[in-house]
Amino acid sequence: MATSHNIDNKRYQGLIISIALFLSLIGALLAFTFYTSSLLERNTALIDQTNKVANNAQAVIKDLFDLDASYGEDTNSPHIQRVLERLEQNTAEITSSIAAIEQGGTITDTEGRSYDLPRLDSDAQANMATANEQWKALEPKIQAYLKDADNVMVPSADELTQAVEQAKTSSLLINDSLDNLTDDVFNTAEREASTIRLIQAIGVFAIFAYFLIFVFFFVRRLRETDAEALAARRETQEIMQTVNTGLFLLDKDLNIGQQHSRALNDIIGEDRLAGENFTNVLRGRISDKDLKTTQQFIDQLYNPRVKEKLVDSLNPLHKVMLHNNSGNKATNNRYLDFKFSRVYDNKDIARILVNVNDVSDAVYLEQRLEKERSQNDMQIEMLTTILNVNPKIINEFIDNTQMHIEKMNNILKNPGSSQYELEAKLKAIYREMHSLKGEASALKLHSFTKIASDAEDKLHALQNQGQLSGNDFLQLAVHLDDLLSLSNTIATLGERINRAAPASAKPATTQTSAVLNESIVKSGVSKAAVTEGMTSNPLVDNMSIAGEADDDRLSFYQAFAKDIAARQGKQVQLKSDTLTQVAIPAQLEKPIKEISIQLLRNAVVHGIEKPSVRYATGKNAVGTIDLEVQDNGSSIILTVQDDGQGIDYERIRTKLSTDGRFSVEEASQLSQSELLTHLFSSGFSTKERADEDGGRGVGLDIIKAQVEEYNGELNVNSELGQMTRFVITLPKA
């Protein structure tokens, strides 16, 4: 920008010099006019002064004759005194005037104005010398008379007679000399005036001619400049008409400049943008938060102390969705990418250049790719689960999932309009969804877990909503459909792998490899990853061996507990000496598994402390959970015990009062048995924040419901800071 500024200075340098020269000519002419006016004024003053000397000389002679004729009159009479005073005054003025005229001195008129008299030329000096000579002959005689003119004791007739006689002789010569002097000065002034008029005429003509030349060249230069500007504007308009991106300038007040690219109207979706305020254009089309952030962002761009590259990373309008507010439903919302650049004038930030691109296609493509990537990741996750988990457990999960979904679907179909019925439906759906999430989390099916967690969030919001209606449950249908779709996908993949598996315990056949390769291609996972998974897990080679189911179930529970502990920042070890030794009746396999999952999660989340806490209390950093199954002939007894912090009944009291279920006084009067009852109630949890593993108050509610459904018994024993033991007894009959 500095270079451009210098170019502009050079471009106008000739114009500046021409104007300066033109003003100099006018100034010189004005100065000469002032000088000649002063000169003429001085000549005029000289003529006036010579006339004054001549008039004074005539007055002196007249007064002398008057005094001579009135001689003998009383000298104190007013007449004599007035004549004597005038004679003395005129004599002094003539003397001083002659001296000033001869020397070119300064005179002062009767109004107090001073004038400098010009020097006399030779002819004028000769005339002045003659007049001065005659005055010097007359003036002493006048002074001799005036010396004693008013003294009656001293006779002055002789002095008066001598002055009169001399005046008769000198007056004519003085008048002739002064007339000649006046003529000389007038002629000189006339010559000077002619010269001045000639010089002024020449100067005015020169200035006028120079002005015409200046206007001619200036107009020509102006036309050239206008032509260049017009060409530049035409090129700019052609660029603005042709460019496919939106270009415009923003000032400090966020006003859009008058010039912008034609594509900007189509990109923004507005007919008029020039001069409009940028915030008004965006208001209602992006969120208020993004709008406020945009204003702050542009303010920082105008801050010279903030680096442009640094603030660019904070751009709130990077791939932002611009909502359609035109009322035209055919026009979809679009994604726009705004890029801001500073425009400098020297070192000052003059404007902000904004470049807008419609990136809707790119964003939609990214979203589609992300969706496909998520689907591929989900399929990889499912393949990994199928390849690393006993088929019996997978089939149980699929059956249980479909059963849970069918139950929730039936619950939704059941009629109910009262608040009690709606709350009962909500609790029942909540339990089924939580059970489903538990099994999916145990199998590391995070896609299932994510959908179930989202559904739980909505169920939890409904639980805290207070007043329920039948329409509140409609939003759950989408989650059920997604869960069923994922379950069918796992079932399909499992069936294809089972069909491809050989009957004997041999390595995978070519047919199995082909099916896996097809799944690999569809899901985007590398062959090496699947091969590694197949090598580390003997599922494919030993798929038909059912004797490993119990061992796999123990490994399943152990992996489940460790996964939860890792997410909670804890360390656990699950032990069981009887799980693989007791044959669980088929009708109790599902409740035993579901209760075990909920109790294990509860033990890790609420029971086992973090390593630092356990160290502080003298415990081993790794918490221990014992899961035992016993058969007493008539019942199956499930025991889950942890060496954690135990049940804090006081914390339950505090949470009950904090949640508003009881007052502080009422909560303080509850017994431990009553506190345990509320601990197993739906929606109650001592965990401060809900996450994937707990905090919504559903796990213990599921256990209670399962025990009641199978006519079992539930016993809880706990020692604060030491352990918690859950004993579940389910009858076989």
Side-chain angles (χ1 to χ4, degrees):
M1 298 301 296
T3 303
S4 177
H5 185 68
N6 292 335
I7 291 175
D8 289 341
N9 286 341
K10 293 180 179 178
R11 182 177 184 179
Y12 294 106
Q13 185 176 2
L15 177 62
I16 294 172
I17 294 175
S18 298
I19 294 175
L21 183 58
F22 179 73
L23 294 177
S24 299
L25 289 173
I26 294 177
L29 182 60
L30 290 175
F32 178 76
T33 301
F34 290 146
Y35 169 74
T36 54
S37 297
S38 174
L39 186 60
L40 292 175
E41 187 179 58
R42 292 167 63 186
N43 289 332
T44 302
L46 178 59
I47 294 172
D48 291 341
Q49 198 66 22
T50 56
N51 290 332
K52 183 178 180 181
V53 171
N55 292 333
N56 288 338
Q58 293 295 327
V60 166
I61 294 171
K62 180 180 178 182
D63 289 340
L64 287 174
F65 288 160
D66 188 9
L67 289 172
D68 184 49
S70 303
Y71 188 79
E73 187 178 342
D74 185 6
T75 57
N76 292 324
S77 66
H79 171 252
I80 297 300
Q81 288 295 321
R82 184 170 58 254
V83 174
L84 288 175
E85 182 181 355
R86 187 169 60 240
L87 177 62
E88 184 178 4
Q89 181 180 354
N90 289 334
T91 301
E93 287 182 359
I94 292 173
T95 301
S96 62
S97 296
I98 289 176
I101 293 173
E102 281 187 332
Q103 299 174 5
T106 302
I107 61 171
T108 303
D109 59 12
T110 56
E111 296 179 357
R113 292 177 296 186
S114 298
Y115 298 96
D116 293 329
L117 298 178
R119 294 283 183 180
L120 300 177
D121 58 13
S122 57
D123 293 338
Q125 286 180 356
N127 291 321
M128 193 64 211
T130 302
N132 190 23
E133 180 182 356
Q134 294 298 322
W135 175 251
K136 286 181 179 180
L138 178 61
E139 191 264 344
K141 293 179 171 55
I142 296 174
Q143 292 296 339
Y145 166 73
L146 291 174
K147 179 178 179 182
D148 297 318
D150 56 350
N151 189 353
V152 297
M153 301 301 296
V154 178
S156 57
D158 293 339
E159 286 79 2
L160 177 60
T161 301
Q162 293 178 6
V164 171
E165 292 300 327
Q166 184 63 43
K168 292 178 180 178
T169 304
S170 298
S171 61
L172 294 175
L173 295 175
I174 290 174
N175 287 335
D176 291 341
S177 299
L178 291 176
D179 288 341
N180 293 334
L181 175 62
T182 301
D183 292 339
D184 290 341
V185 173
F186 183 80
N187 292 333
T188 301
E190 186 68 25
R191 289 195 300 270
E192 290 178 351
S194 300
T195 304
I196 290 170
R197 285 193 295 271
L198 178 62
I199 294 175
Q200 287 179 335
I202 294 174
V204 170
F205 177 78
I207 291 173
F208 183 73
Y210 184 84
F211 176 76
L212 293 178
I213 295 172
F214 169 77
V215 170
F216 173 76
F217 282 102
F218 176 75
V219 170
R220 189 177 70 175
R221 177 63 61 85
L222 188 62
R223 287 180 177 177
E224 293 175 354
T225 304
D226 289 344
E228 293 175 0
L230 183 61
R233 183 179 301 175
R234 187 181 296 110
E235 292 175 359
T236 303
Q237 289 177 347
E238 290 174 354
I239 294 174
M240 289 297 189
Q241 295 289 331
T242 307
V243 69
N244 294 325
T245 61
L247 294 175
F248 63 93
L249 293 171
L250 275 181
D251 60 15
K252 286 187 177 181
D253 296 327
L254 302 185
N255 293 320
I256 299 175
Q258 295 298 324
Q259 299 293 328
H260 60 78
S261 62
R262 185 174 63 179
L264 182 65
N265 298 96
D266 297 331
I267 294 174
I268 299 294
E270 295 286 346
D271 295 332
R272 177 177 174 80
L273 290 172
E276 296 293 325
N277 190 273
F278 189 49
T279 55
N280 293 336
V281 174
L282 296 180
R283 183 171 286 110
R285 308 188 69 180
I286 62 176
S287 66
D288 293 339
K289 180 181 178 181
D290 285 343
L291 184 62
K292 183 177 180 180
T293 306
T294 300
Q295 292 173 322
Q296 296 172 346
F297 171 74
I298 297 176
D299 287 341
Q300 291 302 316
L301 279 175
Y302 271 105
N303 187 352
R305 293 177 295 180
V306 177
K307 293 184 178 179
E308 185 174 358
K309 291 183 179 180
L310 177 62
V311 75
D312 184 61
S313 61
L314 305 176
N315 182 3
L317 297 183
H318 175 62
K319 294 183 180 180
V320 65
M321 175 182 282
L322 204 67
H323 297 282
N324 172 35
N325 61 358
S326 62
N328 184 7
K329 296 183 179 180
T331 304
N332 297 325
N333 298 330
R334 59 183 69 184
Y335 288 89
L336 303 184
D337 187 22
F338 292 79
K339 293 182 180 179
F340 300 85
S341 303
R342 288 171 172 168
V343 178
Y344 289 91
D345 183 6
N346 289 332
K347 295 183 179 180
D348 298 327
I349 302 173
R351 294 285 189 277
I352 299 298
L353 176 64
V354 185
N355 187 347
V356 191
N357 286 288
D358 189 342
V359 293
S360 300
D361 293 339
V363 171
Y364 290 140
L365 179 59
E366 289 178 3
Q367 292 176 348
R368 187 164 64 252
L369 292 176
E370 183 62 29
K371 184 177 180 180
E372 292 177 356
R373 189 181 299 111
S374 299
Q375 292 176 348
N376 292 339
D377 292 342
M378 179 187 65
Q379 291 185 5
I380 294 171
E381 177 187 276
M382 293 177 181
L383 282 172
T384 303
T385 300
I386 293 172
L387 293 173
N388 287 278
V389 179
N390 190 288
K392 182 179 179 181
I393 297 177
I394 294 293
N395 292 331
E396 287 179 358
F397 171 74
I398 295 172
D399 293 339
N400 290 339
T401 298
Q402 294 175 344
M403 181 187 65
H404 285 304
I405 294 174
E406 185 176 355
K407 278 188 176 181
M408 286 186 281
N409 192 34
N410 290 333
I411 293 171
L412 290 173
K413 290 180 180 179
N414 288 337
S417 57
S418 67
Q419 284 300 304
Y420 176 79
E421 292 173 330
L422 293 175
E423 289 177 2
K425 289 175 64 173
L426 181 63
K427 292 179 181 178
I429 294 174
Y430 214 152
R431 286 194 294 266
E432 296 296 331
M433 188 66 71
H434 197 72
S435 297
L436 176 58
K437 187 186 79 170
E439 292 191 48
S441 178
L443 288 173
K444 299 181 182 180
L445 292 173
H446 299 297
S447 300
F448 267 86
T449 306
K450 179 65 170 60
I451 297 174
S453 294
D454 292 342
E456 281 190 332
D457 289 338
K458 293 182 179 179
L459 289 168
H460 186 66
L462 292 176
Q463 200 171 44
N464 296 329
Q465 181 174 301
Q467 194 73 17
L468 295 173
S469 66
N471 293 332
D472 293 334
F473 293 88
L474 296 178
Q475 54 186 324
L476 300 175
V478 178
H479 296 283
L480 295 181
D481 186 63
D482 291 341
L483 291 172
L484 184 60
S485 176
L486 290 179
S487 176
N488 292 334
T489 301
I490 291 181
T492 301
L493 290 174
E495 290 175 1
R496 295 177 69 181
I497 292 179
N498 288 335
R499 287 198 305 268
S504 60
K506 294 182 181 180
T509 62
T510 305
Q511 183 181 0
T512 305
S513 301
V515 174
L516 289 176
N517 287 339
E518 182 180 354
S519 300
I520 290 167
V521 171
K522 290 184 177 180
S523 54
V525 70
S526 65
K527 293 183 180 181
V530 177
T531 305
E532 181 180 354
M534 293 174 63
T535 304
S536 61
N537 190 301
L539 172 65
V540 178
D541 294 336
N542 303 282
M543 194 171 294
S544 62
I545 302 177
E548 297 181 355
D550 292 333
D551 292 336
D552 286 344
R553 191 177 300 279
L554 177 59
S555 300
F556 167 79
Y557 287 142
Q558 289 174 337
F560 174 56
K562 287 184 178 180
D563 286 342
I564 297 176
R567 288 194 294 269
Q568 298 294 323
K570 301 177 181 180
Q571 299 177 18
V572 297
Q573 180 181 12
L574 176 63
K575 297 180 180 180
S576 179
D577 296 329
T578 58
L579 179 63
T580 60
Q581 299 175 2
V582 176
I584 301 174
Q587 73 273 15
L588 295 182
E589 283 187 356
K590 177 183 176 297
I592 291 294
K593 178 181 179 182
E594 193 165 322
I595 293 173
S596 298
I597 287 175
Q598 300 300 334
L599 287 176
L600 286 176
R601 176 188 282 113
N602 187 76
V604 177
V605 174
H606 298 282
I608 301 299
E609 310 95 325
K610 291 190 176 183
S612 59
V613 178
R614 294 180 64 86
Y615 270 127
T617 57
K619 296 181 181 181
N620 193 315
V622 180
T624 301
I625 302 175
D626 293 308
L627 188 154
E628 302 297 339
V629 180
Q630 296 177 336
D631 186 351
N632 64 1
S634 61
S635 302
I636 297 296
I637 302 173
L638 172 66
T639 303
V640 177
Q641 178 175 328
D642 65 77
D643 64 347
Q645 58 191 346
I647 298 176
D648 189 347
Y649 291 99
E650 294 304 318
R651 186 176 181 184
I652 298 175
R653 294 182 198 275
T654 303
K655 196 69 166 61
L656 286 172
S657 61
T658 303
D659 290 349
R661 301 193 181 200
F662 294 94
S663 65
V664 176
E665 182 179 355
E666 291 172 341
S668 64
Q669 296 176 0
L670 295 174
S671 64
Q672 288 189 357
S673 177
E674 291 173 325
L675 292 173
L676 280 177
T677 301
H678 288 291
L679 186 63
F680 280 84
S681 64
S682 178
F684 179 79
S685 176
T686 56
K687 201 171 188 293
E688 295 298 331
R689 298 181 62 182
D691 55 24
E692 178 182 341
D693 301 313
R696 294 182 175 87
V698 188
L700 294 180
D701 180 38
I702 292 175
I703 296 172
K704 178 183 175 183
Q706 290 281 14
V707 172
E708 291 177 351
E709 182 179 351
Y710 287 88
N711 298 318
E713 294 181 0
L714 169 62
N715 292 303
V716 182
N717 184 20
S718 178
E719 296 181 18
L720 187 62
Q722 298 299 321
M723 68 88 181
T724 301
R725 181 190 305 116
F726 288 86
V727 180
I728 310 296
T729 303
L730 299 179
K732 292 182 179 180

